[in-house]
Amino acid sequence: NAADEAEAQPAGVNYDESKVPAYTLPDPLAPGGGPRVQSADEWRERGRPATLDLFKRFMFGVIPEGQVITRADLISDHEVFDGKGRRREYTLTLTGPTGRSIAVDILVYTPVDPKRADRSWPAFLGLNFKGNHAVDPDPRIKLCSSWLRPDGDNVVNNRATEKGRGSERSRWPIQTILGRGYAVVTACYHDIDPDYDDGFENGAHALFAEGRGRPRDPSAWGSIAAWAWGLSRIRDHLQTVPEIDPSRVAVMGHSRLGKTALWAGALDERFALVISNESGCGGAALSRRRFGETLERINTAAPHWFCSAFHTFNGKEDALPFDQHQLIALAAPRPVLVCSASEDLWADPKGEFLSALNADPVYRLLGFVGMEAREMPGIGEPILSRVGYHIRAGKHDTTDVDWAVFLDFADRHLTATIRP
Ligand code: GCU
């Protein structure tokens, strides 16, 4: 299975800094090599749309037009964590122009303030890998009904079992997050588009009259674009949850879902803050460095993640009309936090830092300090400027240490001035 292969970190890849080839990064203020953007207005009118267009055409693919109807059904509503939280489950049924539908189950955790029931909270929204039932062991949570990747006893014949309850809980310290005054919203990414190469027959792609039997456009959307689109549909729904302040929703994600969070944040400016955790190649890491995972490797192991036009850059990184610092710049002037782990060389921590650093000129043009640091910080020394960066000791994962930094970053940039 291609998605499993993508997990393996093969030998023969470059982990030697001295072997990183010389490269020149495209100027983020001159997207596509056009004239240099001179003002904040010009960035909005020309710079940002031109940059977005490059990433659509050559990397993530174009999301089709066409009306999608969403129905939201509340399927459970519980008090949790000794009354300190409330958890609601909704099923969002999304029906596209083809008449086909997908069902996305979402978990919405909100803090409870006994003194102020009318309070609305900032929120973290992120997709999960193994189903909502894996995020929290509470047996009342609906078992994920989507195709799942093999995972020991937790998944049999690609379907969730009771054994998988709570299996991803270490990545979702929900009580801690609620305790810090934030809501948490999550859904399983497979509900939006199952993560395997099926020729774009199922998931969100099936909602639109594209693909199926017909040759696909080289810029037709891949799965990461579908997941990002799904995040926006969940964001639509949050507008109706009174305990959540829709103007303070941070989009976050780990690894392939960190790539997804960056693209969702670029496309949908309603996301007030963006967090990439160890998103690596195709996410925060600069492609031109060819350190750890390369374009050839990612497009071979997971051919459905990006549009097929992106595959033509395999081994030709210098021909790309952009690099990943420009993906970060698409969030400007909103805050973006890029996080790495010291042993996750596959995701190229230094390349992730350099992306954050090189997005800075766009923030400065818009009148903000983006990245405060000029050098990559040491392990455990978070930089919490508007474009932030942190490297934690350890392996590829999302841990309490990461969340502590996400929360500090959000405290500084999402709530500081607005919190009552
Ligand atoms: C693989 C893949 C990465 C991806 C990661 C993940 O390692 O090569 O690009 O980020 O899986 O999503 O966990």
Side-chain angles (χ1 to χ4, degrees):
N1 162 316
D4 285 332
E5 256 171 59
E7 297 277 275
Q9 304 194 357
V13 291
N14 181 38
Y15 291 129
D16 181 348
E17 195 57 40
S18 72
K19 296 206 175 99
V20 170
Y23 60 88
T24 309
L25 284 184
D27 179 350
L29 291 172
R36 203 154 198 267
V37 170
Q38 303 289 347
S39 68
D41 284 348
E42 211 186 327
W43 173 256
R44 288 224 60 83
E45 279 154 31
R46 187 172 66 77
R48 191 181 129 83
T51 308
L52 206 49
D53 190 56
L54 293 172
F55 280 96
K56 286 183 186 168
R57 278 163 49 213
F58 298 114
M59 189 170 187
F60 297 104
V62 178
I63 296 173
E65 305 277 324
Q67 212 199 343
V68 171
I69 296 168
T70 305
R71 198 186 73 219
D73 294 304
L74 179 68
I75 58 170
S76 80
D77 190 348
H78 291 109
E79 187 186 285
V80 291
F81 309 133
D82 300 320
K84 294 196 192 76
R86 177 174 179 188
R87 184 190 60 231
R88 273 166 283 186
E89 291 179 278
Y90 299 86
T91 299
L92 304 184
T93 306
L94 309 176
T95 306
T98 56
R100 292 178 60 171
S101 302
I102 56 170
V104 180
D105 292 329
I106 67 171
L107 285 182
V108 176
Y109 287 90
T110 47
V112 172
D113 179 348
K115 288 188 232 87
R116 280 201 40 200
D118 63 337
R119 191 160 165 184
S120 73
W121 308 86
F124 288 95
L125 164 60
L127 298 175
N128 66 70
F129 283 84
K130 297 183 175 185
N132 292 343
H133 66 282
V135 161
D136 176 334
D138 187 332
R140 296 173 295 185
I141 295 175
K142 185 184 164 198
L143 219 52
C144 179
S145 50
S146 291
W147 179 96
L148 293 176
R149 294 153 52 84
D151 183 23
D153 292 346
N154 298 338
V155 175
V156 171
N157 297 327
N158 299 105
R159 296 291 151 186
T161 70
E162 289 290 331
K163 294 221 167 74
R165 291 195 176 280
S167 59
E168 221 189 353
R169 67 190 295 189
S170 67
R171 289 183 172 179
W172 296 92
I174 294 163
Q175 275 200 72
T176 308
I177 304 168
L178 297 185
R180 293 272 300 253
Y182 293 85
V184 185
V185 181
T186 187
C188 180
Y189 80 134
H190 298 295
D191 281 8
I192 300 166
D193 190 32
D195 187 8
Y196 61 90
D197 183 17
D198 76 326
F200 306 101
E201 294 279 333
N202 64 17
H205 297 97
L207 306 189
F208 298 90
E210 43 117 22
R212 282 192 293 143
R214 282 186 263 143
R216 289 190 102 226
D217 190 275
S219 293
W221 60 332
S223 290
I224 292 179
W227 302 324
W229 171 88
L231 283 166
S232 285
R233 302 293 69 76
I234 298 171
R235 172 65 186 71
D236 297 340
H237 175 68
L238 296 185
Q239 210 77 30
T240 71
V241 178
E243 292 88 344
I244 291 183
D245 175 353
S247 72
R248 291 184 290 158
V249 176
V251 64
M252 54 79 58
H254 170 72
S255 209
R256 72 198 65 176
L257 299 177
K259 311 182 209 295
T260 302
L262 287 168
W263 186 227
L267 288 170
D268 189 339
E269 294 184 275
R270 296 175 303 172
F271 290 118
L273 185 151
V274 184
I275 298 174
S276 148
N277 198 58
E278 300 155 32
S279 60
C281 181
L286 293 175
S287 303
R288 278 170 176 74
R289 280 173 46 82
R290 285 153 271 197
F291 185 102
E293 188 170 29
T294 59
L295 299 192
E296 179 160 19
R297 172 71 204 177
I298 201 168
N299 285 327
T300 307
H304 57 297
W305 285 0
F306 301 98
C307 71
S308 65
F310 193 53
H311 299 201
T312 64
F313 296 98
N314 291 351
K316 297 187 192 134
E317 285 79 357
D318 294 305
L320 272 172
F322 53 79
D323 213 318
Q324 299 307 102
H325 59 310
Q326 291 167 275
L327 178 59
I328 293 176
L330 280 170
R334 292 165 295 153
V336 180
L337 175 65
V338 173
C339 293
S340 310
S342 63
E343 291 172 42
D344 186 15
L345 297 181
W346 183 241
D348 186 14
K350 184 162 183 197
E352 297 190 308
F353 170 74
L354 289 173
S355 264
L357 178 67
N358 285 289
D360 186 56
V362 174
Y363 283 79
R364 303 251 173 191
L365 184 75
L366 300 181
F368 296 90
V369 175
M371 168 61 73
E372 218 164 60
R374 296 290 101 184
E375 301 290 332
M376 184 166 168
I379 294 169
E381 295 169 9
I383 308 288
L384 298 180
S385 45
R386 187 165 269 263
V387 178
Y389 179 81
H390 179 240
I391 177 164
R392 154 179 71 71
K395 294 196 190 347
H396 188 65
D397 198 359
T398 302
T399 70
D400 290 351
V401 176
D402 296 312
W403 272 103
V405 179
F406 303 168
L407 287 159
D408 287 348
F409 187 75
D411 279 354
R412 178 165 313 185
H413 295 288
L414 199 55
T415 60
T417 53
I418 344 181
R419 185 177 254 167

